[in-house]
Amino acid sequence: VDGTTDEPEARLRTGLADAEFEALYRASVGRIYAYVARRVGPALAEDLTAQTFAEAWAGRHRYDASQGAPIGWIFGIATNLLRHHRRKEETQLRAFARRGLDPVDSFDETEVVDRVMVSEGWRRVASVLAELSEEDRNILTLAGWAGLSYDEIAAAIDIPVGTVKSRLSRARTQLARRLASAIDLT
Amino acid sequence: VTPDDDFESFRGTLSHLDTEAEQRIRRRFEQLRDRGSNVTPTLNDVSPEGTEIVELEAVAATDDVSPRHTHRVLMGMAAAAALLALIGIVTLVRNADDTADVASGVDGVPLTELANRAANQPDLDLLPGQYLYRSSIEGASFDAIDALAAGQSVELFELWLDREGTGLRRINESRWTSTSPGTPQGAVSTEPRDIQVRPAQPFFNPSLTYAELRALPTDPEALYAAARRTGGDPSDPAFEAQTLSWWLAIETTPPAVRAAAFEALAQLGAEPIGSVTTYNGQDGFGYQGAGEDGAPWIIVIDAASTRVLAFARGAGAGDALWTDATRFDEYGDQWIVDALPS
């Protein structure tokens, strides 16, 4: 199990062996950290990443391979933990939309941040994210920042693939509209 | 600029995990793994047998929120203007010429009296195989001060859920109307569609399962603390009030919990503002309070049944650059049925 493959034999089983869990950890810890840090900032990201894997460890015997590759499962746990910090996330997004204060950039100067994107365009993205419902924000960030496929997102947040597609399309439309409006006025 | 270009730009600014941070995460993970339990149990982690944990946590958190009880009745001129705007959103996009019917001089029923009434109402509990049905409307209006984007959205839902969180979510209408000079004018609507809701979904709101809902504290302060904990940080009375309104708006919330919720709203400083007509034309009494930054919120109640008709919250005076925050939830019919719609 490398965290991203969808091997036929894996789909027939329930639970993750210890070695499989370790492989999943190594394959995905960086991605989970990046996703969580982008959403709530580095100050919380390390602890939330550790909590994500602790929860996964505790529930590794209940992992159901028929629901998809383990990468979706692990991102689902992370997304669930993020729910407890949604206000912090929304507050940060709004602050950034207003003042251009990027929580990632400002909290850890050593992070590699694309300076071009820490700009007006990214402020628009932040404002769109803050407006989205929690579920839409989860879908958009799982696609955009976690890089999950439709199937993986569906497994992560336990909704049908069709719903993922329609809601992602809607969220992307909102994103495009907001960015286009910024461009039109400049 | 294509949508794909936009989405590509969205992928920027991701952090990278350096070796030291990775080692710290590993150590923390191993601590938690070896301890064999969650570090931060929340309401979402609590089963019916775990009620005591919820209440203990809620009581422990009470100290954190005691300042709430010295609520701010602040509402200066700017906040009063924001309040009028908020009342207006109760009639949001229904008709541009409509205004909310707020009768001056009507005191309404005190929230403490609503608590008494709620406590004496029958306890509705879902039996296996039954579904709780509810129709609702969610609306929002955003109008950035720099006019880069403005619009309104309204979604009409029906939801059937059983005790396990299984059921059907029907979106009857989803409408987004742009009024921004920088974006295409007009409305965008989607076709009605059904979404099968799978087990283990939260029950009607983003916070709780059905078992957790039934196990909520019946002490107002503990319930308030529970509402505070479901939302995470930072605390804001407007969010807490919204969470209480979610719980009140579910018919199967136990009467003692509903009574505690009304008491908690009273302790938050909610004041009667008289009669209010909702977006969908329901008449009730409005109660208004203020959020952390002075942002007003309003809950609309049918005093006879103690049913929540709507909850709305708006942007505060200190949030003038961000005026999207006018949002409302309205609740319609609600009853218990034995089957999903065909």
Side-chain angles (χ1 to χ4, degrees):
Chain A
V1 177
D2 65 4
T4 57
T5 58
D6 192 11
E7 300 162 358
E9 61 272 24
R11 289 200 297 270
L12 301 177
R13 293 185 287 104
T14 298
L16 285 177
D18 291 3
E20 290 173 321
F21 185 90
E22 179 62 26
L24 173 64
Y25 181 98
R26 293 184 182 186
S28 59
V29 65
R31 288 179 65 185
I32 292 289
Y33 172 81
Y35 168 69
V36 172
R38 180 63 271 180
R39 291 196 60 174
V40 295
L44 266 176
E46 289 184 19
D47 204 46
L48 277 177
T49 302
Q51 284 185 45
T52 296
F53 286 99
E55 297 249 356
W57 175 265
R60 68 192 186 285
H61 300 303
R62 296 192 297 275
Y63 164 68
D64 182 357
S66 69
Q67 299 296 313
I71 193 69
W73 174 66
I74 200 79
F75 269 102
I77 294 170
T79 302
N80 195 43
L81 288 173
L82 282 168
R83 290 195 311 168
H84 304 308
H85 301 277
R86 74 173 159 78
R87 287 184 201 166
K88 180 181 180 64
E89 180 180 25
E90 289 180 4
T91 300
Q92 288 186 165
L93 287 169
R94 289 177 184 188
F96 181 54
R98 284 201 299 267
R99 298 190 289 273
L101 179 66
D102 186 352
V104 169
D105 195 28
S106 59
F107 286 173
D108 189 344
E109 296 295 338
T110 65
E111 295 294 341
V112 179
V113 176
D114 184 341
R115 298 283 172 177
V116 176
M117 286 312 302
V118 183
S119 63
E120 196 64 15
W122 170 227
R123 289 176 65 180
R124 303 299 163 203
V125 172
S127 70
V128 174
L129 286 178
E131 284 172 5
L132 293 176
S133 68
E134 186 178 15
E135 186 173 62
D136 283 355
R137 188 161 56 237
N138 285 339
I139 292 171
L140 190 59
T141 55
L142 283 168
W145 284 333
L148 298 190
S149 67
Y150 292 136
D151 289 344
E152 288 167 342
I153 295 171
I157 56 178
D158 198 21
I159 62 174
V161 173
T163 304
V164 171
K165 290 179 180 176
S166 62
R167 300 198 79 141
L168 183 58
S169 173
R170 186 176 69 180
R172 289 181 65 172
T173 301
Q174 283 185 264
L175 185 66
R177 275 202 190 107
R178 179 61 65 87
L179 292 176
S181 72
I183 291 165
D184 287 347
L185 294 182
T186 54
Chain B
V1 178
T2 69
D4 283 342
D5 293 333
D6 294 331
F7 207 55
E8 272 308 308
S9 70
F10 178 73
R11 296 179 197 273
T13 73
L14 281 181
S15 302
H16 298 285
L17 183 59
D18 62 39
T19 305
E20 288 185 6
E22 187 173 0
Q23 289 171 346
R24 287 194 297 271
I25 291 171
R26 182 82 195 195
R27 283 195 297 273
R28 180 68 174 142
F29 158 63
E30 289 174 350
Q31 285 174 353
L32 298 172
R33 179 194 63 190
D34 296 342
R35 191 192 302 176
S37 63
N38 298 336
V39 220
T40 52
T42 69
L43 283 171
N44 297 292
D45 304 315
V46 176
S47 64
E49 308 81 66
T51 306
E52 187 179 349
I53 298 173
V54 177
E55 294 185 344
L56 286 175
E57 281 194 348
V59 170
T62 301
D63 290 345
D64 298 337
V65 297
S66 54
R68 298 276 167 266
H69 304 311
T70 58
H71 69 273
R72 38 170 109 200
V73 189
L74 68 123
M75 304 311 269
M77 288 298 290
L83 172 61
L84 289 175
L86 178 58
I87 294 170
I89 77 164
V90 178
T91 57
L92 178 76
V93 300
R94 181 186 183 193
N95 183 319
D97 297 327
D98 280 356
T99 55
D101 173 19
V102 181
S104 59
V106 180
D107 289 335
V109 179
L111 283 165
T112 49
E113 171 57 23
L114 291 181
N116 291 335
R117 295 181 187 181
N120 292 314
Q121 289 179 333
D123 185 7
L124 298 177
D125 189 8
L126 278 180
L127 300 174
Q130 292 183 327
Y131 295 85
L132 182 61
Y133 164 86
R134 187 176 75 188
S135 63
S136 63
I137 304 171
E138 294 178 14
S141 175
F142 34 95
D143 182 8
I145 201 166
D146 52 4
L148 287 174
Q152 298 157 336
S153 67
V154 172
E155 290 187 298
L156 280 63
F157 298 106
E158 291 178 288
L159 189 59
W160 292 258
L161 283 182
D162 66 10
R163 305 167 57 102
E164 307 306 318
T166 302
L168 183 72
R169 177 179 171 89
R170 174 168 290 168
I171 303 175
N172 288 309
E173 185 174 353
S174 181
R175 187 171 68 245
W176 192 89
T177 306
S178 168
T179 57
S180 167
T183 50
Q185 303 294 303
V188 177
S189 296
T190 58
E191 294 297 316
R193 60 194 186 280
D194 287 349
I195 298 170
Q196 300 297 326
V197 180
R198 296 157 66 179
Q201 295 286 316
F203 193 76
F204 281 99
N205 71 67
S207 304
L208 304 179
T209 66
Y210 185 75
E212 291 165 350
L213 179 78
R214 298 288 297 176
L216 281 169
T218 56
D219 171 73
E221 292 195 2
L223 184 66
Y224 178 84
R228 157 119 176 55
R229 293 178 70 81
T230 60
D233 291 323
S235 174
D236 186 330
F239 284 108
E240 269 73 88
Q242 184 173 42
T243 301
L244 292 168
S245 79
W246 284 335
W247 295 344
L248 277 168
I250 301 171
E251 292 285 315
T252 54
T253 300
V257 175
R258 299 188 75 251
F262 282 120
E263 295 278 2
L265 288 172
Q267 291 173 6
L268 270 174
E271 302 281 357
I273 58 169
S275 301
V276 173
T277 300
T278 66
Y279 166 75
N280 205 34
Q282 300 186 89
D283 295 320
F285 279 120
Y287 300 83
Q288 164 260 315
E292 189 67 31
D293 57 359
W297 53 267
I298 292 175
I299 188 168
V300 184
I301 309 284
D302 174 58
S305 66
T306 73
R307 193 164 66 86
V308 172
L309 303 180
F311 181 90
R313 63 179 170 86
D319 205 16
L321 288 178
W322 186 264
T323 55
D324 76 311
T326 49
R327 299 167 186 271
F328 76 90
D329 297 305
E330 176 165 356
Y331 307 103
D333 294 328
Q334 195 166 162
W335 55 74
I336 293 175
V337 297
D338 291 328
L340 292 173
S342 54

